[in-house]
Amino acid sequence: MGAVAPNAHPGSQFALVWNAAFNASRSEGKKSVLLPEEQYNEIISELTAIDKSSKKVPHEYYLLKKYEILKCGDVLKLIRRRTANEDPIYFATLEDTFDIIKRAHIATGHGGRDKMVKELSKKYANITHDALSIYKSLCIECQCKCKRPTTKGTVVRPILTKNFSSRSQVDLVDMQAIKQGNYKWIMVY
């Protein structure tokens, strides 16, 4: 099956770059747990048909063991099979993945992959680490937040002479952490 491009905010430059990177990672031959809209709807229709049939085949037992349908008004949602009074954990479609990750990323305060995993695992069953890593690597605000390389402090040693005013000393103050335009150093004479 070919890669399906999520259609979230097609005009957004960020979404276009994310779609390209995400589709490239999907086309590497890995089996994806993200369901395209067609496959998602097909599973829902199979599950509704299973309830009406009396004799079941192994594939139907597999579907019944893994999935459950949650009816929200007129909308049918695919959720993970639950026991007792657990909160529903939804399966997301491939097309909705971008919006779901974006909401979780902002809700965690531009948190890292692990914070997003913790947030998303409460509500969604099939959002992958790869998708989260791709989104995080493309987020401009997160790239600005990355740690800057720290420079080691320079050692200042005075030059000692026997004659007065025969030499002078220049100290350089490292201002790379808070540079002003192109100026990174202050020279003190």
Side-chain angles (χ1 to χ4, degrees):
M1 178 188 318
V4 178
N7 56 8
H9 311 293
S12 167
Q13 184 66 28
F14 184 86
L16 293 174
V17 172
W18 188 82
N19 287 342
F22 186 71
N23 287 333
S25 72
R26 280 180 47 89
S27 63
E28 293 175 358
K30 298 178 187 174
K31 186 175 181 182
S32 178
V33 294
L34 292 170
L35 304 169
E37 187 88 33
E38 297 168 6
Q39 188 179 356
Y40 182 87
N41 292 332
E42 184 180 316
I43 291 172
I44 289 176
S45 63
E46 285 180 22
L47 283 169
T48 54
I50 290 172
D51 292 341
K52 297 172 185 169
S53 67
S54 60
K55 190 173 182 180
K56 297 175 180 63
V57 295
H59 177 68
E60 292 172 339
Y61 283 112
Y62 167 77
L63 291 176
L64 287 172
K65 184 177 179 183
K66 187 171 181 178
Y67 303 110
E68 190 176 323
I69 296 177
L70 179 68
K71 189 170 185 176
C72 302
D74 295 339
V75 181
L76 298 176
K77 296 281 187 175
L78 194 60
I79 61 172
R80 181 185 284 163
R81 172 67 70 192
R82 51 191 172 157
T83 59
N85 294 327
E86 292 179 351
D87 290 334
I89 298 177
Y90 298 91
F91 282 92
T93 63
L94 180 61
E95 290 79 11
D96 295 335
T97 305
F98 178 83
D99 291 328
I100 291 167
I101 294 174
K102 181 179 178 182
R103 280 194 307 268
H105 188 62
I106 292 170
T108 58
H110 290 273
R113 186 198 71 191
D114 294 337
K115 283 185 180 180
M116 288 191 292
V117 166
K118 186 176 180 183
E119 178 77 19
L120 288 170
S121 65
K122 295 174 189 174
K123 194 169 180 182
Y124 295 99
N126 63 336
I127 304 293
T128 62
H129 289 261
D130 291 339
L132 297 174
S133 297
I134 290 169
Y135 189 94
K136 175 125 175 62
S137 70
L138 295 173
C139 179
I140 295 168
E141 198 164 321
C142 292
Q143 290 173 359
C144 293
K145 205 167 76 169
C146 287
K147 296 178 182 174
R148 292 183 295 251
T150 58
T151 56
K152 300 284 184 183
T154 56
V155 177
V156 177
R157 292 185 306 172
I159 302 169
L160 302 174
T161 63
K162 295 184 187 234
N163 300 332
F164 180 74
S165 294
S166 64
R167 295 186 180 204
S168 62
Q169 177 179 342
V170 176
D171 291 327
L172 291 175
V173 180
D174 183 6
M175 300 295 287
Q176 290 182 22
I178 48 174
K179 60 184 177 183
Q180 298 287 321
N182 290 332
Y183 301 107
K184 300 177 185 176
W185 300 88
I186 294 177
M187 184 173 79
V188 181
Y189 180 73

